[in-house]
Amino acid sequence: MRKTMLFSAFFLFLILVLSPNLQATNLDFLDEAWEQRGQMDPIVEALELARAVDGEMDNPEFLWKKARLHYWYGDNIAQ
């Protein structure tokens, strides 16, 4: 019983420690495209990658970063 509790606590600790790192790597491509927003190609590539990501559709951070890129793209494609 004690081993099971220790294993469960250790497993929960690993999940809590690793999950922010996994989430941050999923969104890095959106941040990198935003930093290079003077060029159109990184924005288009990031938006294509974002379209392929299905698991992040309920993540508010993902959605606002994607919307920011769409806004910039729409504002600058007309020029």
Side-chain angles (χ1 to χ4, degrees):
M1 172 92 170
R2 189 172 187 186
K3 288 182 182 180
T4 305
M5 288 182 64
L6 285 173
F7 178 74
S8 298
F10 179 72
F11 185 71
L12 184 61
F13 175 75
L14 283 178
I15 290 174
L16 292 174
V17 168
L18 294 178
S19 65
N21 293 336
L22 293 175
Q23 189 177 31
T25 58
N26 288 341
L27 303 177
D28 282 347
F29 71 96
L30 294 172
D31 290 330
E32 290 171 7
W34 181 252
E35 290 173 2
Q36 300 175 11
R37 63 187 174 272
Q39 305 168 10
M40 194 60 72
D41 291 339
I43 300 291
V44 172
E45 290 174 15
L47 289 174
E48 289 174 2
L49 283 173
R51 187 178 308 150
V53 177
D54 293 331
E56 297 290 333
M57 290 309 292
D58 58 346
N59 183 348
E61 184 179 5
F62 172 77
L63 293 174
W64 79 260
K65 288 180 179 186
K66 182 180 168 184
R68 175 177 67 173
L69 290 178
H70 274 290
Y71 179 79
W72 188 91
Y73 178 77
D75 196 37
N76 289 290
I77 196 72
Q79 295 177 359

